[in-house]
Each structure stands twice: as structure tokens, then as C-alpha cells.
């Protein structure tokens, strides 16, 4: 006879945190959101910690090298998506590890024989007004000039005019040689009243830009996540098909932590992938596994050698696994079950294996609920897809700005490896959708606001760190009526900018 759980499958939305006693020390400035990312022995320091409990999802529409740098600046970790060639993924990892704070690789580049029409299309796509003109139109080509919005007037400059005719030519640029320090580069910016300073090598090839607008931001990242060599920390996804080739390439590129990207982790395929990593690298390479939704799944991956376990099936905003296959579990129930298994494993072995909650976060307060239930950090897709730093296009749809967002199980991504169960090398049916998410602006401001809410809630609970939140917080189930009561009700809301009362 099949096994039936006695409790319903619960979501984060069905719980509220109950306030605890707050001392005078319980203020947001004193809250520490650092958290372990990988397995460690009790009483010892974790080999890898994140300064905030947020990771960006292993998705084409979310995590590339630009997202990785932006999130590392705020203290989190991006996992570069695996549904691309090994060479491209390794190149993204190298770009993150080679990134020098304040030195930005140009992501808006054009050839001199292109036209103003091309410039405007590129500006619309990237949102950047400073465009490098290189001989071959690449980010590291030989620089021949720069185009900014001051070089043309859309109302007067013909759209078919060649870039070389209106750009600021190389002879009119102030540049700095590769190897200049950030302090020296900023001095040049200020001395010459520049907005952008190209950094070039001895062959006049563009290597980076330093922007005036970034000057203050470099002093505003006290939580940036760096390795021992002062390089940004970055993660990467792998699959259970080509791991023997992909893992060595990503390790060689400098990835700090790996994660098996799969919709279902309670499989022999994941056990074999973990065994390969342990056989080839011992404990020197850190790799998480998943996804699972219960005690048995967690313990299986823990015993197989996972450095962290990713929990959650079917709870993502673009995931349709539950309606397609009837597989999954409410995210709250899954986290609580896995956390109980994690604590039992710690008592039995002396090793703590962090839990990554993947999916189910709709509102910011769900982050605090997930942490209180036992998650050590969260992997988010939709949340990060909304930002400037995600790799997708920003579009205007029906008068509203949106960003494209699609699931790895959609026909657009065709990431069949993520859903591989040992059959043919193809995506048999969709387990994700292709969609839009409302554009939300920059990562920095949004992450700071979300985590500000988390800190405030933790203070209401009388705690100032995640371990104490997990040990001391009280949670309560809420009824459907209680959920309604929790929002605005029995009032007439004013329309934004309306004239109610006049």
C-alpha cells in the first residue's frame, strides 16, 4: 500500500512568524546574515560562507557572469547556468574571476562601418549609452573610438550614417594603460572630467572601462564576497551527463562551488556524479546536489557526498512539473522535513550540511520564513530575472517594462539534461514556461530592500543571526481567513496619484 503523509503539503504563504522578546540590541544594523554554503565539521569554520543568504538560479535567463559579479558585490553567489557549451560556461567563470572591482568589461560594442540605427538598437537592448567602437566589434578588439549620446542627435543625424563619421575617434580619447590601479583610474576620470575611461593594452586592444558613476558604488559594498586572492566568488551548475568533461573545465576556470542542476536529485545519476567528484578531487571541490523534498532524499544525497542539498520540486514560478507529472511537495513542508533530517545527520556524524531552498518565494517575508524553517540560503530565479543585471532583454509590453524569463524545462531552453532520467537525449515534454516578469531596476537597491525586511523581521523575533532564528523563532499556521486579514481590507484604496477627498 502506498505511503500517505498525514499532513497537507504546506507552502510558505501558510505560515507567519510570531514576535519574540526584542532587546535594545535587536536593531537591523546588528543583524548578521552570513551563512554556510558547504559542508563542515561542527565547531569548525565552514570552507565557504556567503555574506547574504541569496543565490541566483542555474538558469539561462538569470545567471551569467554579469549577474555573478553584481551579486558577489552584495555578498551572494551566482551559479552560472549549465545549459550551454562547456567552453562558454568556463569562459563566463573566467570573466568573473578575472573581473577587477571597478574595471568593467564592455558589453556594448560596435564596428565603425555600422550605422546610427545599429547604435540605437544596441542602446535599447543594453540600456547603456557608452558604446565602444572596435575594429571587429568585440569587447576586446582594437579600439578606434567611442560613441556616447553626446555624439549624435536622433532628430538630425541620419539613421544610416556610419559610426566612424560621428564617433569620438581614438585620437580624441583619454585612455589608460592596462595595469593602472583603480585609484589612478579614478584620478584620471576626475582630472579630465570624464564619464568613462577606456583601459587598453600595449596593442591598443580594449580591456576594460572605468566609469565615473561607479566611483561611489565601490565604497558601498562592504559585504562583497571574495576569495583569498580578492577575486569574486562564483558558482556553476553541472549535469549528470557530461560531468566528466564539464567539472574539470569549470574547476580549471576557477569555479568556487558547483551544483548538480537537476529537477530530481534522489537518483543513481546524482550518486555517480558525486562519486566522480570525490574520486577525482576528494573534498577539495565543493559540490551541492538536488533537488529533493523529504528526509529520505536529503539523507541519500548527504551520504553520497553532497556539500549542500537543494530542496524544492515544482515550486518555481515558471515550473509546471507538478501539473505535468504530479510530482513535488509544498516548499514549507519540504524544507521542514529536510531540516529535521539535516539536524539528525549532524548529531549522528558531526557534520553540518547546509540546505538551499529552491522555489516557493513569492513575497520578501517568505525569505525569513524559509530561513526560520531551516534553510541556510535560498536559490532564486524570478526574483533576479527582474533586474538590469540578468542576461535577458528588457521590453516594453503594453506600456509596461518587463524582462523575459523562461524555465530550463521550457522548449526555449531545451535543457533536457536537467530532466534526464537516462533515456533519449531530448526534452520529451515541457516542465517550464516562457514568460515575462515586471522589470524592477538594479539588483543592488532591490536586494538591499528585501534583506532590510528580513533583518527587521528577525529583530521582531528577537534574534540577530540565522542560527538563532532557526533555534528560537515561533511560527504559526494561518487560516485562509487570516491570510485575507493580513492584507489591506475593508477600506477603499486610493488610486496612485488620485484626487480622493478633493
Amino acid at each position: 500500500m502506498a505511503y500517505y503523509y498525514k499532513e497537507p503539503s504546506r507552502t510558505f504563504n501558510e505560515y507567519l512568524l510570531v514576535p519574540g522578546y526584542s532587546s535594545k540590541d535587536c536593531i537591523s544594523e546588528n543583524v548578521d546574515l552570513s551563512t554556510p554554503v558547504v559542508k563542515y565539521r561542527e565547531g569548525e569554520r565552514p570552507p565557504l560562507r556567503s555574506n547574504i543568504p541569496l543565490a541566483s538560479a542555474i538558469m539561462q535567463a538569470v545567471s551569467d557572469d554579469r549577474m555573478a559579479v553584481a551579486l558577489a558585490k552584495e555578498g551572494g553567489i551566482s551559479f552560472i547556468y549549465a545549459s550551454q557549451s562547456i567552453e562558454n560556461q568556463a569562459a563566463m567563470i573566467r570573466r568573473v574571476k578575472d573581473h577587477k572591482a571597478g574595471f568593467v568589461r564592455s558589453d556594448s560594442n560596435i564596428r565603425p562601418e555600422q550605422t546610427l540605427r545599429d547604435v540605437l538598437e544596441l542602446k535599447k537592448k543594453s540600456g547603456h549609452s557608452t558604446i565602444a567602437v572596435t575594429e571587429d566589434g568585440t569587447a576586446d578588439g582594437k579600439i578606434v573610438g567611442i560613441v556616447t549620446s553626446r555624439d549624435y542627435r536622433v532628430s538630425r543625424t541620419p539613421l544610416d550614417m556610419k559610426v566612424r563619421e560621428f564617433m569620438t575617434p581614438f585620437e580624441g580619447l583619454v585612455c589608460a594603460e592596462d595595469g593602472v590601479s583603480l585609484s589612478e583610474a579614478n584620478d584620471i576620470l576626475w582630472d579630465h572630467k570624464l564619464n568613462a575611461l577606456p583601459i587598453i593594452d600595449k596593442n591598443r586592444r580594449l580591456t576594460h572601462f572605468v566609469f565615473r558613476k561607479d566611483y561611489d558604488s565601490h565604497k558601498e559594498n562592504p559585504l562583497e564576497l571574495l576569495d583569498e586572492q580578492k577575486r569574486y566568488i562564483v558558482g556553476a551548475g553541472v549535469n549528470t551527463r557530461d560531468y566528466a568533461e564539464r567539472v574539470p573545465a569549470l574547476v580549471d576556470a576557477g569555479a568556487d562551488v558547483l551544483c548538480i542542476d537537476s529537477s530530481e536529485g534522489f537518483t543513481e545519476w546524482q550518486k555517480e556524479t558525486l562519486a566522480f567528484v570525490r574520486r577525482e578531487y576528494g573534498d577539495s571541490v565543493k559540490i551541492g546536489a538536488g533537488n529533493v523534498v523529504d528526509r529520505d532524499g536529503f539523507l541519500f544525497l548527504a551520504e553520497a557526498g553532497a556539500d549542500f542539498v537543494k530542496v524544492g520540486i515544482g515550486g518555481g514560478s515558471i515550473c509546471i512539473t507538478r501539473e505535468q507529472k504530479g510530482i513535488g511537495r509544498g516548499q514549507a513542508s519540504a524544507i521542514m522535513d529536510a531540516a529535521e533530517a539535516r539536524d539528525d545527520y549532524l548529531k549522528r556524524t558531526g557534520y553540518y550540511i547546509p540546505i538551499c531552498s529552491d522555489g516557493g518565494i513569492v513575497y520578501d517575508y517568505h525569505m525569513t520564513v524559509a530561513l526560520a524553517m531551516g534553510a541556510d540560503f535560498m536559490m532564486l530565479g524570478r526574483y533576479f530575472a527582474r533586474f538590469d543585471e540578468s542576461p535577458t532583454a528588457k521590453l516594453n509590453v503594453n506600456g509596461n517594462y518587463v524582462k523575459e524569463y523562461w524555465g530550463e524545462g521550457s522548449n526555449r531552453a531545451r535543457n533536457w539534461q536537467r530532466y534526464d532520467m537516462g533515456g533519449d537525449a531530448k526534452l520529451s515534454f515541457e516542465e517550464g514556461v516562457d514568460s515575462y516578469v515586471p522589470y524592477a531596476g538594479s539588483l543592488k537597491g532591490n536586494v538591499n530592500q528585501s534583506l532590510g525586511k528580513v533583518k527587521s523581521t528577525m529583530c521582531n523575533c528577537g534574534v540577530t543571526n540565522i542560527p538563532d532564528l532557526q533555534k528560537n523563532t515561533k511560527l504559526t499556521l494561518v487560516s485562509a481567513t487570516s491570510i485575507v486579514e493580513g492584507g489591506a481590507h475593508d477600506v477603499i484604496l486610493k488610486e496612485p496619484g488620485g484626487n480622493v477627498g478633493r
Side-chain angles (χ1 to χ4, degrees):
M1 180 177 175
Y3 177 81
Y4 292 88
Y5 286 91
K6 295 179 180 179
E7 285 292 320
S9 181
R10 303 288 189 183
T11 67
F12 294 141
N13 212 45
E14 295 177 78
Y15 288 88
L16 286 175
L17 296 144
V18 176
Y21 170 74
S22 300
S23 70
K24 291 182 179 179
D25 292 328
C26 285
I27 57 175
S28 294
E29 289 77 8
N30 291 339
V31 174
D32 177 9
L33 290 179
S34 63
T35 189
V37 174
V38 298
K39 177 180 178 180
Y40 65 97
R41 185 187 291 274
E42 187 175 20
E44 297 182 357
R45 182 176 176 82
L48 178 61
R49 291 182 68 87
S50 181
N51 290 329
I52 61 173
L54 302 183
S56 65
I58 311 170
M59 300 176 70
Q60 295 174 10
V62 180
S63 296
D64 64 354
D65 49 299
R66 186 172 175 227
M67 174 63 73
V69 169
L71 186 52
K73 286 182 178 180
E74 301 308 314
I77 300 177
S78 283
F79 285 80
I80 304 294
Y81 68 93
S83 52
Q84 60 179 319
S85 72
I86 296 173
E87 294 75 20
N88 286 348
Q89 189 183 18
M92 286 188 180
I93 296 294
R94 288 192 179 92
R95 286 199 290 271
V96 177
K97 302 307 287 189
D98 291 342
H99 185 93
K100 295 181 288 184
F103 293 83
V104 181
R105 276 181 59 86
S106 177
D107 61 358
S108 297
N109 311 285
I110 205 163
R111 299 188 307 278
E113 63 270 19
Q114 290 183 264
T115 66
L116 175 60
R117 181 178 288 104
D118 297 319
V119 168
L120 297 177
E121 289 178 358
L122 182 57
K123 181 180 178 181
K124 182 179 179 181
K125 180 179 179 181
S126 69
H128 299 148
S129 58
T130 299
I131 298 174
V133 186
T134 59
E135 286 186 347
D136 58 3
T138 65
D140 53 5
K142 187 174 182 179
I143 189 169
V144 295
I146 285 180
V147 171
T148 71
S149 55
R150 293 177 296 180
D151 292 313
Y152 58 85
R153 292 180 66 181
V154 177
S155 60
R156 295 188 179 183
T157 308
L159 292 177
D160 59 355
M161 180 178 284
K162 301 294 185 183
V163 170
R164 68 166 66 92
E165 298 179 43
F166 61 87
M167 70 181 185
T168 301
F170 177 77
E171 294 74 20
L173 299 176
V174 176
C175 299
E177 292 187 4
D178 195 27
V180 66
S181 70
L182 182 58
S183 177
E184 292 168 336
N186 280 320
D187 286 342
I188 296 172
L189 279 171
W190 287 95
D191 291 345
H192 292 271
K193 299 181 180 179
L194 304 173
N195 290 322
L197 176 68
I199 310 298
I200 59 175
D201 66 13
K202 61 183 179 181
N203 297 316
R204 217 175 88 184
R205 299 183 73 87
L206 181 66
T207 64
H208 298 91
F209 272 108
V210 175
F211 292 98
R212 176 189 287 259
K213 66 181 177 61
D214 291 336
Y215 177 77
D216 291 332
S217 70
H218 303 316
K219 300 181 182 298
E220 297 175 0
N221 301 313
L223 296 177
E224 62 181 356
L225 195 60
L226 305 172
D227 64 18
E228 294 179 352
Q229 297 169 295
K230 305 299 182 184
R231 302 175 302 176
Y232 288 124
I233 296 289
V234 61
V238 299
N239 61 62
T240 57
R241 281 271 180 155
D242 64 10
Y243 58 84
E245 296 80 34
R246 191 174 293 268
V247 168
L250 300 181
V251 171
D252 182 66
D256 298 280
V257 58
L258 306 176
C259 182
I260 302 174
D261 181 31
S262 175
S263 66
E264 214 280 274
F266 200 171
T267 70
E268 187 174 0
W269 312 110
Q270 294 227 358
K271 185 176 181 179
E272 289 182 353
T273 304
L274 292 168
F276 168 82
V277 172
R278 295 295 168 242
R279 184 170 62 250
E280 297 296 319
Y281 299 98
D283 291 329
S284 64
V285 169
K286 305 304 179 184
I287 180 169
N291 289 15
V292 296
V293 292
D294 64 0
R295 177 187 185 85
D296 292 342
F298 176 90
L299 293 175
F300 171 79
L301 293 176
E303 298 290 354
D307 283 299
F308 66 85
V309 174
K310 197 142 66 78
V311 175
I313 294 177
S317 61
I318 42 70
C319 184
I320 55 173
T321 294
R322 294 180 190 174
E323 65 183 59
Q324 289 280 58
K325 295 167 62 175
I327 290 288
R329 196 178 188 190
Q331 192 66 5
S333 296
I335 290 296
M336 288 188 286
D337 203 358
E340 184 177 4
R342 186 262 320 279
D343 294 344
D344 289 344
Y345 185 85
L346 172 64
K347 293 176 184 177
R348 178 163 55 87
T349 68
Y351 281 95
Y352 186 93
I353 298 180
I355 288 174
C356 171
S357 177
D358 182 13
I361 302 293
V362 180
Y363 304 111
D364 285 346
Y365 85 85
H366 289 168
M367 296 181 183
T368 321
V369 173
L371 294 172
M373 288 180 169
D376 295 280
F377 62 104
M378 294 154 282
M379 185 170 282
L380 307 171
R382 178 195 60 85
Y383 179 85
F384 287 110
R386 304 171 300 146
F387 303 150
D388 288 319
E389 293 80 2
S390 74
T392 63
K394 173 185 167 185
L395 307 172
N396 189 309
V397 177
N398 298 325
N400 297 309
Y401 281 106
V402 297
K403 295 271 284 186
E404 293 183 293
Y405 181 47
W406 59 93
E408 290 295 293
S410 67
N411 278 324
R412 181 170 183 173
R414 302 208 65 80
N415 183 6
W416 62 267
Q417 295 95 333
R418 189 177 197 275
Y419 303 87
D420 181 30
M421 294 299 289
D424 294 335
K426 65 179 183 179
L427 189 69
S428 300
F429 53 88
E430 287 188 288
E431 292 189 46
V433 299
D434 195 346
S435 64
Y436 301 121
V437 289
Y439 169 66
S442 71
L443 179 147
K444 185 179 184 66
N446 282 280
V447 166
N448 286 341
Q449 182 181 64
S450 295
L451 294 183
K453 296 177 186 178
V454 172
K455 291 179 178 180
S456 180
T457 303
M458 288 173 64
C459 289
N460 290 145
C461 294
V463 298
T464 56
N465 59 66
I466 293 173
D468 285 348
L469 177 71
Q470 295 170 343
K471 286 185 289 187
N472 301 328
T473 299
K474 296 177 289 185
L475 294 109
T476 181
L477 271 169
V478 295
S479 66
T481 307
S482 180
I483 293 174
V484 173
E485 181 186 64
H489 59 91
D490 301 314
V491 294
I492 301 173
L493 295 178
K494 296 180 181 179
E495 292 294 331
N499 296 316
V500 176
R502 290 190 178 182

